[in-house]
Structure formats: structure tokens, C-alpha cells
Amino acid sequence: MSDESRPTPAQTPVAAVIPAAGRGVRLGPGAPKALRALNGTPMLIHAIRALAASRHVSLVIVVAPPEGAAEVKSLLDAHALPERTDFLVVPGGESRQESVRLGLEALPPRYGIVLVHDAARPLVPVDTVDAVIEAVRDGAPAVVPALPLADTVKEVEPAAVAGDPEPVVATPERSRLRAVQTPQGFDRETLVRAHESVTENVTDDAGMVEQLGVPVVAVPGHEEAFKVTRPLDLVLAEAVLARRRLNDGF
Ligand code: C5P
């Protein structure tokens, strides 16, 4: 691409990849986590709407459970979504990492900035999404939304049998720790390179970029961007939705 035709950072098209192929066993038995309902609407639809609410995001790629791509496509057809956003559905893989990589393979060339957002964080506010995009546009190759911790964190020697006492080996200084959320935002080339070269399992995409030696920065996250993991998180998510409805005057 010549310098004249290259988009300026403010024009670089932004796409979001939403890995939604996990089973969500910690949530109890039932449908794949992303397809479970919150106030009658699947968690995945909430997550897609949360990302598409940003006027900067023009494509959302949903990575569906491997056997569930057709079901996810019909879900998207059945729910109102912004018309200015394009949507693609691709089948996912065995791990979150593989699911994100499959999503990246479907990304058309013109998208220079990529967000990766867990379907399991259905309530992330649009301001958090925009803050991540802005930091990437300002030149950071990798950006994570993050919050300080309320709990003190201990590093332990994990017990062989769940529930057995575990020796504590360290107490990291809490004020230096952050709990990291999604969407994480990346310069596309950096994220693709990370997925090509890092093979060991990591729990977030920014961790792979760190392994390349590329700097990652944290911007303020939001308490409503929590991950729905355990049954109590469903109760909390529905309470947040109820509060939003009250505040919106419905
Ligand atoms: O299980 P965990 O909390 O790490 O899942 C985070 C996100 O990754 C969820 O949105 C889940 O659907 C997704 N995932 C995936 N493919 C997998 C496993 C998890 O897309 N094989």
C-alpha cells in the first residue's frame, strides 16, 4: 500500500473477534455458555451488541462452537443488530487460543486494528471499548482494560487433590496487580504474529504479545465488564441489566 492510500490511525478500520466456542462447564450443565440467556437474550447477543455499540467497530467476527456455527448464524438473524456493522460467523477450536486464531484467519485485509472480546463478558460498557480503541490508535500495539484488585492475592503450590490445603509461596504487592478484562485491542500485525509464533497455552491474547517482547499497556477497565463464569455471575449480570433498564427509564 502506498503512503497516500494508507489510512491514518484515526481511519484504520476496527474489527472485533468474539471467541464464543467455550462450553462453560463452571457454569453448570446446559447449553454452551455463550448461548445461555440473560434476561431472555443469549449472552453472545449481549456481547455482540456491546462491541457493535462502538461506532468505530465495523466488523464483528463471532467464533462459534465447532458444531454450532449454523445455530449461531440463525441467532444473529433473529436478533436486532446495528445495520452499520458487518457480521461473520466461523467455527471455533479446542482452546480459546485456537478459536481466536481461527477468527483472525477470517479477518479481511483492510482491518488494521483488532479487538478480542470474550462472549462471556456480555455487559462491557461502550466507553471501555472506545478507550481501548483510542489507546491502539494513539500508537500502543497492545492494550488491555484492567482493574485494581479488592482481594490480596497469594501464589500457592497447587494441591494434587482439589480442596486439600495448599502451601502459600508468595504474596505479590497488591497495589501493583491488576485484573485484566476484555476487549483487548491490538495492532493487527502484532496479534497475528503472536498467534503464529507463541504455541504454549495462555489465558489472554496480550500474554502472547508480551512473549514477543512487544509492550502491552493497561487502561482503566470497568466493573460491568466482569466475566460470567459461575452461577452467581448470572445473577449479578441480570441485576446489572435490571439497573440499566431502570436508569434508561423503561
Ligand atoms: O473458559 P474461558 O473463561 O477461558 O473462556 C473465555 C472465552 O473464550 C469465552 O467467551 C469462551 O466461549 C471462549 N472459548 C472459545 N473456544 C474455546 C474455549 C473458550 O472460544 N475452545
Side-chain angles (χ1 to χ4, degrees):
M1 200 185 280
S2 76
D3 276 352
E4 275 118 67
S5 57
R6 198 186 290 278
T8 65
Q11 296 165 333
T12 307
V14 181
V17 173
I18 302 189
R23 280 190 218 304
V25 281
R26 288 169 291 182
L27 211 49
K33 174 158 74 175
L35 305 185
R36 306 223 192 163
L38 284 182
N39 271 9
T41 302
M43 208 179 316
L44 173 62
I45 298 293
H46 287 283
I48 294 172
R49 285 180 176 154
L51 272 283
S54 166
R55 62 186 173 82
H56 304 290
V57 174
S58 45
L59 170 68
V60 175
I61 299 180
V62 179
V63 188
E67 314 300 322
E71 187 185 349
V72 167
K73 274 189 193 131
S74 21
L75 263 188
L76 263 61
D77 290 340
H79 290 84
L81 295 169
E83 286 191 359
R84 60 178 161 73
T85 316
D86 292 330
F87 298 94
L88 274 177
V89 178
V90 300
E94 279 300 306
S95 64
R96 181 187 183 282
Q97 208 164 333
E98 193 186 347
S99 294
V100 173
R101 187 177 53 74
L102 291 166
L104 288 175
E105 282 174 7
L107 190 65
R110 69 188 205 92
Y111 292 92
I113 295 176
V114 191
L115 305 181
V116 181
H117 181 62
D118 291 333
R121 297 183 189 271
L123 303 181
V124 61
V126 68
D127 287 353
T128 306
V129 177
D130 284 340
V132 170
I133 295 171
E134 194 183 328
V136 181
R137 286 197 160 152
D138 283 349
V143 179
V144 297
L147 287 179
L149 297 179
D151 294 326
T152 295
V153 172
K154 304 277 183 203
E155 184 184 345
V156 298
E157 197 56 62
V161 178
D164 278 2
E166 301 176 313
V168 170
V169 295
T171 305
E173 189 187 329
R174 188 175 66 190
S175 63
R176 294 178 59 86
L177 297 178
R178 300 287 179 270
V180 169
Q181 305 176 319
T182 72
Q184 300 187 349
F186 304 90
D187 153 59
R188 179 213 183 112
E189 185 271 327
T190 303
L191 183 61
V192 168
R193 196 151 53 87
H195 274 268
E196 280 166 1
S197 52
V198 178
T199 48
E200 69 249 49
N201 237 334
V202 292
T203 48
D204 76 337
D205 297 276
M208 303 172 76
V209 171
E210 286 162 55
Q211 290 191 38
L212 293 180
V214 173
V216 175
V217 296
V219 298
H222 196 285
E223 61 178 354
E224 292 182 4
F226 66 94
K227 181 153 73 171
V228 176
T229 306
R230 297 181 190 85
L232 192 60
D233 298 324
L234 288 171
V235 178
L236 180 60
E238 296 205 331
V240 170
L241 286 172
R243 185 175 67 179
R244 284 186 187 174
R245 270 201 312 278
L246 269 180
N247 290 345
D248 289 349
F250 285 105

